[in-house]
Amino acid sequence: MHDFNFKKDQLFCENVSVEKIVKEVGTPVFVYSHKTLVDHLIKIKTAFAKISPLICYSMKANSNLTICSELVKNGAGIDIVSGGELYRAKKIGVSGKKIVYASVGKTETEIAEAIKTGILFFNAESIPELELINSVAGRLRKKQNVAIRINPNVDAHTHHYITTAKKQNKFGIDMGTSRKIFLQLSKKLKNVKLCGVHVHIGSQIEEVTPFIQAIKKSLALINELNKKGAGITHLNIGGGLGIVYRKERPQTADDYARAILPLLKDSGLKVILEPGRFIAGNAGILLAKITYVKDTPAKRFVIVDAAMNDLIRPSFYDAYHEIVPVKADKKEKLKKADVVGAICESGDFIAKDRRLPEALKPADILAVMSAGAYGFTMSSNYNSRRRAAEVLVKGNRYFIITKRESYADLIRNEVVAKV
Ligand code: LLP
């Protein structure tokens, strides 16, 4: 599942001791395993080999240039959601023919840039957006492929912030309106080739049933519309596969494929997938150094040099990340503690009520596991904290793939105006 393992009593990423990285790069630092990243991509590729889908890695999970570029080298396309992500995709030289673009709020400039890049699909999320894509494409004298992101009204049974396909959610277009778009509006949209359906129902989904429901609904719609001459050739089934953070038992790529391949294999459609977390989540950890151990009459706080600005998932979604001291001693006495950062909010915590070695002391290093997805990409400069460094390990070598920010970086766009 991942390549972070203890050798004797020391945590290693592949063949590099994480303490060595800490000594040379400092903390907080995200450390990723190249092997885990690529293995996860290959797991999906292999599971779906029968239909050879296009796997567009969802770069919002981790958009580091080296990471995306290594995945692209191994055959991935890219799923983007903003002009910034398009800029990154172009920087690593991924072919436009392997880029798909979702988002409820694509601006005119973003749309124009993506059309000029020759992206494979916009996943359109509203009629006004579709009309704007049509008019921008016309101006640029291009005919642009568009998929309709449908909202199938399926509950993915995941955290309500990352459930995206219930009718109350802002995403996608309801089935009735989607029908009308394909059968009526499409005739007016001369610069758009409406030839795809996209469905993404949420993230960290542990069961297969919601995926099956959404795909069945999509296929029924496509069959109905194609009988009437819609010409739909592509089905994008989104991302959302859950991973193990604690005791989850999510489906493996094979389980997922076994359940949905029978639905897809005779459809004649070209299938696109958009996994993010499944590829990057367990491929990364966040290393933090203990600053203080603070015992109060109520509880113990282990205060570290990473905080909610580095990893917001615990504060934002109450997410669980395992905490592992990088030097393990199995016989150690344990004591419950909260692992917290230095930020001035009680909501700034990385873990609550964890049984950690009682002997933990300043300068010891803790690893926050499964921090490869939605870790660095959601980080911020809150409290004027510099964003962490990122390191990629491959075998017995490691590469700094993001330098730690400097204080000068923090203010590089600011001006003390003469007011
Ligand atoms: N495709 C679309 C259109 C998406 O919106 C997303 C994620 C994905 C693919 C990739 O989903 P994944 O395979 O990673 O589940 N920040 C949250 C997760 C937000 C997911 C947003 N959309 C978290 O930390 O749990």
Side-chain angles (χ1 to χ4, degrees), residues 178-204:
S178 300
R179 262 187 204 97
K180 283 191 200 134
I181 293 174
F182 277 107
L183 297 177
Q184 294 160 23
L185 186 62
S186 64
K187 297 190 181 72
K188 289 197 211 138
L189 303 171
K190 300 285 181 224
N191 311 310
V192 151
K193 187 173 173 206
L194 264 183
C195 58
V197 164
H198 172 233
V199 63
H200 170 78
I201 59 174
S203 195
Q204 184 57 14

Side-chain angles (χ1 to χ4, degrees), residues 52-122:
S52 355
L54 174 61
I55 301 172
C56 289
Y57 166 63
S58 192
M59 71 151 56
K60 62 179 81 60
N62 188 318
S63 55
N64 178 276
L65 295 178
T66 306
I67 285 180
C68 293
S69 144
E70 289 303 296
L71 292 168
V72 167
K73 268 195 220 159
N74 282 279
I78 297 281
D79 158 42
I80 62 167
V81 287
S82 70
E85 288 194 345
L86 177 63
Y87 179 77
R88 286 176 178 275
K90 289 206 292 199
K91 274 268 176 239
I92 60 167
V94 58
S95 150
K97 290 286 152 244
K98 285 183 152 188
I99 299 178
V100 294
Y101 187 170
S103 157
V104 296
K106 306 170 188 87
T107 65
E108 187 166 348
T109 323
E110 289 174 323
I111 290 171
E113 203 51 50
I115 294 176
K116 284 189 219 153
T117 307
I119 66 162
L120 180 62
F121 268 107
F122 281 110

Side-chain angles (χ1 to χ4, degrees), residues 58 60 79 162 200 203 239-240 274-277 313 317 374 378:
S58 192
K60 62 179 81 60
D79 158 42
I162 51 176
H200 170 78
S203 195
E274 300 173 334
R277 187 190 317 261
R313 302 193 70 260
Y317 313 106
Y374 307 108
M378 293 181 81

Side-chain angles (χ1 to χ4, degrees), residues 219-250:
L219 289 170
L221 180 74
I222 294 172
N223 278 337
E224 176 198 326
L225 294 172
N226 276 353
K227 274 190 197 137
K228 296 177 182 161
I232 299 166
T233 50
H234 287 68
L235 172 60
N236 179 336
I237 59 172
L241 278 178
I243 62 165
V244 179
Y245 284 98
R246 187 184 194 177
K247 290 184 184 141
E248 298 87 344
R249 286 282 161 268

